[in-house]
């Protein structure tokens, strides 16, 4: 067992709280729903980036390369000033949803380089320009561009030309659970000398200004002169609350103190509550306002002010230590280097047990940064709907309109936990279906955390009393695909394989809660009680001809191929869990039978809704489509070849012969249904015919339907891209689908890059790009089909090539196409970087990997949120199970050998 595995064991047993501190500080708290107290939900405009430096946050803090404790009592982050910017760089800058031509977008260059699961070692890189940061230029140029044009990025401004920037590396190493070593290394990449103000900053989250019982803590200077110390007095509220902390600062920095309080004078022209306010350190350093900081060296926010002059090409390091010891006059940095070296070595030792050794160095680097992004994307998320709607004592009452506005039906919601975020800047809030996918790669390194995340969403202070799982803070009541059961089942199996034992208690606990959610789906999303489901946008944003989250301009409703297929998949996931639990507790056989029955009815309804209704399977085309049902009873399929028609493949499961033999009651009911309901059996693929190993197959798609769908999916003129499966077929590039309604034309065309429309916000595009979550499920589905059909079932890959492959081989090839997005090709270029030459060729950029939200359907270039390691972190699971192409591995190993020589 490695040292990191020992720490994980101690943390899981609550013997030592190794995870009490971590990267739980958000990268954006401004512009969030939580901080929005406007009448009509104008979150982006209510608290802006310009206001963020001056306004105390109500719910969450943010910062640059920051950490905090798991209750976010104490925060630490880095602030920078290049002596040219109009403000300190205390937080990442980006455009709001209304400023960007493709909605919100961070305009910074930063990278998660490393982290262990307990955060015993972490590394982060921020690239800070030496010239004035082009805030106004980024806003103006993106506002000028329309949705048909590319986003204007920080690199496009020329700010990094001639390497006029600092690489700022921030590293953390834990000597113990409450003893954190901090090293900040500044590398001047320019050939010229440049000045930098470095301000490591520590502060308390403001919990005392909202009318509660919390007393104001304070910071003060505990030691003067060389290696000064800031003491953090917590004004303890509870016995279990940690005691005082000390921040030891190496060298002779000037210590600056202010309060984490709103600057009412700057923002609203009103009097301040305190003489020193949140932006006091900014005003002191940038504007020379000597009276902006407390001369008594007392406050709730403090920084160590290092004035650095860094020669061209040189590197300077600053060391700090945030700890529960004042060291009583001893040197806090005596063993610093040894601790850092040990934790770095232990991180390497741990990942050697996770990342396959037969991967190339390049692939290993991608996996290591993938895990770093997953683990750095944890965040303390705080949102209490009742308090948010009611407002706080002693503060202005929120507008009355909010009582009927956003999230007012979720009055029970009380969130104050560490949660995996999709992207801590672009999406600094949990999204239920994103989180389910996060848990798959997370389970490879910290299965306990993955299980905790899945369980958390089903707790009574998250899940609605009616059984609905909260979607995301912009609309908690929106409907996401029901993938929670799938994720729980996968995490359970990954955990069992990695640790050699099964956590049945977790599986049982989550199964019972999922029954509530399943009941909500059945009761709320089947409009006619015919086992055909709606659900709205279901995470696929603009994939349809209409905004599926809004009332249809035609009236009526859409019978959704994807909504119905997700529910079929849900029933099979719950069936698999029930059968696993029934192995030791026979009472679950009854429940398993119920889910088998549910599945049969849904599978039948996909193709047969009755004599006068259309099924979702179109025999003429050999593909699944959504069906539009109008108020007058008329109906027709909307023939868009999209991911909606591929999602039925997700509803597949095999039943092992030995499992059925161990569960005689379930087997008897199964056989009775097969014998006595032939009308329903015909659309449940191969229940009568045994497959490989005497297995039974449960699937919406029959063998013939599977071949027909794969003919489209594996066609390079349709869905198949060099980098995975597109969300919309290329067929629609020249033949867009159009529908005229009430004199207006609605259109869906192939767009492999960013969306050119504003449907569902316009910041995501499902009309051509490659998305990892659905691609991952397609790979897994093909593996399940192969598990039943075996090596004799082959299809053309690609369609029309004459090259025949088993479904397992197809799944492996798709996996490798997806992983190739991040790996160097034969020219040494990474598709994810597209035409960004700085990333492709510069030695200080080319190995820094970004895990985007989605990818260009033709080129593989990264699009959308640039740090959405969350579900794109699934690439790590793909590389772990399918590796990389032999040709690439041999090439990279040869390059590594030449480099070493």
């Amino acid at each position: 067992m490695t040292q990191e595995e020992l720490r994980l064991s101690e943390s899981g047993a609550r013997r030592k709280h190794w995870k009490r501190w971590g990267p739980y500080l958000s990268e954006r708290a401004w512009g969030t729903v939580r901080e929005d107290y406007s009448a009509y939900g104008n979150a982006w405009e209510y608290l802006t980036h310009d206001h963020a430096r001056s306004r105390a946050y109500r719910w969450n803090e943010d910062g640059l390369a920051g950490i905090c404790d798991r209750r976010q009592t104490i925060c630490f982050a880095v602030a920078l000033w290049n002596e040219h910017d109009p403000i300190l760089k205390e937080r990442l800058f980006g455009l709001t949803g209304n400023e960007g031509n493709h909605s919100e977008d961070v305009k910074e260059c930063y990278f998660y380089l490393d982290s262990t699961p307990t955060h015993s070692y972490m590394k982060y890189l921020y690239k800070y320009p030496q010239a004035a940061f082009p805030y106004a230029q980024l806003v103006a140029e993106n506002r000028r561009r329309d949705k048909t044009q590319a986003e204007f990025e920080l690199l496009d401004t020329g700010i990094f030309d001639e390497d006029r920037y600092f690489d700022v590396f921030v590293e953390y190493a834990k000597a113990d659970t409450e003893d954190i070593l901090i090293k900040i290394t500044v590398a001047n990449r320019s050939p010229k000398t440049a000045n930098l103000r470095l301000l490591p900053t520590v502060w308390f989250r403001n919990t005392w200004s909202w009318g509660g019982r919390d007393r104001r803590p304070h910071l003060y200077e505990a030691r003067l002169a060389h290696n000064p110390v800031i003491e953090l007095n917590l004004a303890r509220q509870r016995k279990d609350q940690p005691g005082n902390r000390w921040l030891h600062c190496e060298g002779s920095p000037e210590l600056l103190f202010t309060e984490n309080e709103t600057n009412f004078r700057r923002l609203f022209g009103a009097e301040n509550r305190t003489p020193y306010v949140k932006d006091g350190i900014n005003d002191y350093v940038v504007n020379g306002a000597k009276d902006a900081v407390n001369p008594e060296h007392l406050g709730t926010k403090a920084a160590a002010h290092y004035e650095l002059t860094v020669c061209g090409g040189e590197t300077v390091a600053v060391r700090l230590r945030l700890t529960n010891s004042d060291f009583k006059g001893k040197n806090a940095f005596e063993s610093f280097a040894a601790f850092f070296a040990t934790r770095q070595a232990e991180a390497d030792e741990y990942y050697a047990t996770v990342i396959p050794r037969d991967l190339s160095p390049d692939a290993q680097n991608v996996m290591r940064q993938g895990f770093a992004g997953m683990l750095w994307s944890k965040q303390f998320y705080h949102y209490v709907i009742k308090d948010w709607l009611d407002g706080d004592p002693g503060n202005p009452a929120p507008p009355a309109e909010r009582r009927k506005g956003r999230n007012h039906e979720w009055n029970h919601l009380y969130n104050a936990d560490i949660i995996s975020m999709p992207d801590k800047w672009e999406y600094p809030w949990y999204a239920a279906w994103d989180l389910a996918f996060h848990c798959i790669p997370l389970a490879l390194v910290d299965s306990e955390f993955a299980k905790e995340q899945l369980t958390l969403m089903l707790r009574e202070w998250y899940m609605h009393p009616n059984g609905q799982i909260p979607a995301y803070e912009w609309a908690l009541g929106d409907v996401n695909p029901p993938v929670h059961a799938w994720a729980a089942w996968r995490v359970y199996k990954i955990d069992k394989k990695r640790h050699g034992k099964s956590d049945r208690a977790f599986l049982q606990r989550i199964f019972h809660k999922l029954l509530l959610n399943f009941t909500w789906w059945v009761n709320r999303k089947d409009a006619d009680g015919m086992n055909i489901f709606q659900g709205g946008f279901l995470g696929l944003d603009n994939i349809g001809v209409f905004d599926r989250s809004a009332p249809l301009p035609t009236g009526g409703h859409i019978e959704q191929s994807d909504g119905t297929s997700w529910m079929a998949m849900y029933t099979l996931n719950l069936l698999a869990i029930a059968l696993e639990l029934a192995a030791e507790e026979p009472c679950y056989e009854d429940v398993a039978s119920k889910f088998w029955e549910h599945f049969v009815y849904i599978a039948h309804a996909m193709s047969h809704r009755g004599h006068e209704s259309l099924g979702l399977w179109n025999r003429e085309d050999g593909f699944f489509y959504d069906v539009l049902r109008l108020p007058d009873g008329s109906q027709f399929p909307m023939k868009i070849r999209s991911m909606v028609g591929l999602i039925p493949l997700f509803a597949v499961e095999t039943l092992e012969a030995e499992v059925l033999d161990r569960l005689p009651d379930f087997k008897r009911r199964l056989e009775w249904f097969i014998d006595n309901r032939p009308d329903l059996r015909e659309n449940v693929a191969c229940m009568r015919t045994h497959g490989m190993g005497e297995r039974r197959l449960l699937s919406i798609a029959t063998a013939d339907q599977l071949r027909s769908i794969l003919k489209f999916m594996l066609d390079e003129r349709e869905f198949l891209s060099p980098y995975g499966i597109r969300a919309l077929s290329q067929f629609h590039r020249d033949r867009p689908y159009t529908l005229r309604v009430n004199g207006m034309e609605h259109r869906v065309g192939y767009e492999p890059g960013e969306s050119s429309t504003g449907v569902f916000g316009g910041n995501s595009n499902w009309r051509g790009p490659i998305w990892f979550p659905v691609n991952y499920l397609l790979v897994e589905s093909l593996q399940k089909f192969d598990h039943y059909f075996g090596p004799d079932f082959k299809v053309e890959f690609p369609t029309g090539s004459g090259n025949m492959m088993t479904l397992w081989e197809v799944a492996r090839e798709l996996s490798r196409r997806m992983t190739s997005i991040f790996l160097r090709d034969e020219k040494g270029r990474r598709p994810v970087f597209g035409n960004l030459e700085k990333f492709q060729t510069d030695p200080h950029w080319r190995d820094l990997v970004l895990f985007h939200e989605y990818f260009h359907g033709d080129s593989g270039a990264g699009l959308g949120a640039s740090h959405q390691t969350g579900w794109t972190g699934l690439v790590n699971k793909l590389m772990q199970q399918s590796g990389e192409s032999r040709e690439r591995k041999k090439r990279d190993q040869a390059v590594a050998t030449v480099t070493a020589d």
Side-chain angles (χ1 to χ4, degrees), residues 558-594:
I558 298 173
E559 295 178 343
Q560 293 181 217
S561 172
D562 56 334
T564 306
S565 302
W566 286 120
M567 275 303 288
M569 174 183 165
Y570 197 179
T571 61
L572 291 180
N573 298 148
L574 290 173
L575 170 61
I577 294 173
L579 292 176
E580 176 76 3
L581 294 173
E584 293 186 11
E585 298 180 67
C587 62
Y588 286 98
E589 289 188 63
D590 291 340
V591 185
S593 298
K594 184 62 177 174

Side-chain angles (χ1 to χ4, degrees), residues 757-778:
T757 73
V759 175
F760 210 85
N763 65 332
S764 295
N765 184 23
W766 284 83
R767 295 183 176 181
I770 294 152
W771 291 77
F772 262 70
V774 287
N775 267 261
Y776 182 87
L777 288 174
L778 285 171

Side-chain angles (χ1 to χ4, degrees), residues 382-399:
H382 192 203
Y383 190 23
V384 181
I385 294 287
K386 185 178 185 304
D387 294 349
W388 181 71
L389 290 174
D390 292 346
D392 299 306
N395 289 273

Side-chain angles (χ1 to χ4, degrees), residues 812-850:
R812 185 174 59 191
E813 177 59 26
L814 289 178
S815 294
R816 289 173 175 174
R817 289 189 180 215
M818 293 160 66
T819 58
S820 73
I821 290 172
F822 305 97
L823 300 170
R824 293 198 199 105
D825 63 17
E826 64 278 359
K827 297 179 181 179
R829 299 173 71 86
R830 301 182 196 276
V832 64
F833 293 152
N835 295 320
L836 299 175
E837 289 304 312
K838 194 80 171 172
F839 275 101
Q840 297 287 16
T841 60
D842 192 301
H844 296 302
W845 294 71
R846 67 191 303 261
D847 292 324
L848 303 172
V849 183
L850 292 174

Side-chain angles (χ1 to χ4, degrees), residues 433-434 437-438 483 486 539-540 566 643 650 766 770-780 818 852-855 868 870-874:
W433 88 299
D434 295 57
F437 290 105
H438 299 184
V483 291
W486 167 81
L540 307 187
W566 286 120
M643 187 59 67
F650 299 169
W766 284 83
I770 294 152
W771 291 77
F772 262 70
V774 287
N775 267 261
Y776 182 87
L777 288 174
L778 285 171
V779 167
E780 185 177 276
M818 293 160 66
H852 287 258
E853 183 180 5
Y854 52 99
F855 302 87
Q868 192 157 342
W871 63 22
T872 303
L874 288 164

Side-chain angles (χ1 to χ4, degrees), residues 167-193:
D167 267 342
V168 182
F169 296 92
V170 183
E171 297 174 88
Y172 299 93
K174 292 180 182 178
D176 209 332
T177 57
E178 300 290 344
D179 189 0
I180 304 168
L181 314 182
I182 306 165
K183 181 167 67 174
I184 304 169
T185 305
V186 178
N188 182 358
R189 299 305 184 195
S190 167
K192 298 180 180 180
T193 298

Side-chain angles (χ1 to χ4, degrees), residues 79-280:
L80 305 163
W81 189 48
N82 57 17
E83 300 186 350
H84 297 287
D85 282 352
I87 57 174
L88 286 181
K89 178 65 68 174
E90 293 183 275
R91 56 187 51 80
L92 297 171
F93 172 74
L95 304 183
T96 70
N98 300 320
E99 289 174 335
N101 60 321
H102 293 288
S103 201
E104 67 265 30
D105 188 43
V106 68
K107 301 299 182 185
E108 303 272 14
C109 294
Y110 61 103
F111 307 89
Y112 308 122
L113 299 184
D114 210 355
S115 180
T116 59
T118 64
H119 313 297
S120 58
Y121 176 72
M122 297 189 295
K123 188 175 185 179
Y124 180 109
L125 169 61
Y126 175 70
K127 290 182 178 287
Y128 186 40
Q130 293 171 2
F133 196 90
Y135 292 104
Q137 182 185 5
L138 287 165
V139 173
E141 179 59 23
N142 278 284
R143 186 172 284 160
R144 185 188 67 80
R145 297 187 179 196
D146 63 28
K147 290 187 179 297
T148 65
Q149 296 174 285
E151 294 174 327
F152 185 68
E153 304 291 0
L154 184 58
L155 273 170
D156 297 327
T157 67
I159 197 76
F160 292 106
D161 291 355
E162 301 175 12
D163 295 329
R164 294 170 298 173
Y165 68 93
F166 298 105
D167 267 342
V168 182
F169 296 92
V170 183
E171 297 174 88
Y172 299 93
K174 292 180 182 178
D176 209 332
T177 57
E178 300 290 344
D179 189 0
I180 304 168
L181 314 182
I182 306 165
K183 181 167 67 174
I184 304 169
T185 305
V186 178
N188 182 358
R189 299 305 184 195
S190 167
K192 298 180 180 180
T193 298
N195 295 332
L196 176 69
R197 308 290 186 91
L198 172 63
L199 295 103
T201 306
V202 64
W203 71 99
F204 293 109
R205 177 166 64 93
N206 188 326
T207 60
W208 57 86
S209 294
W210 321 114
R213 298 179 179 179
D214 285 5
R215 298 192 298 273
R216 180 194 298 266
H218 62 268
L219 308 162
Y220 62 90
E221 187 175 61
R223 187 184 305 158
L224 304 174
H226 191 65
N227 291 355
V229 178
I230 299 171
E231 183 167 347
L232 293 79
N233 187 308
L234 290 171
R236 294 175 70 178
Q237 313 291 324
R238 309 179 309 273
K239 290 182 180 180
D240 63 339
Q241 186 173 322
N244 287 8
R245 298 289 183 276
W246 289 263
L247 179 65
H248 301 262
C249 311
E250 189 176 42
S252 302
E254 178 185 21
L255 300 186
L256 306 174
F257 292 79
T258 189
E259 300 290 345
N260 186 14
E261 294 275 8
T262 297
N263 186 342
F264 289 94
R265 184 178 295 117
R266 174 180 179 257
L267 298 178
F268 310 115
E271 285 302 309
N272 286 328
R273 296 174 180 174
T274 58
Y276 308 103
V277 287
K278 184 177 177 180
D279 53 12

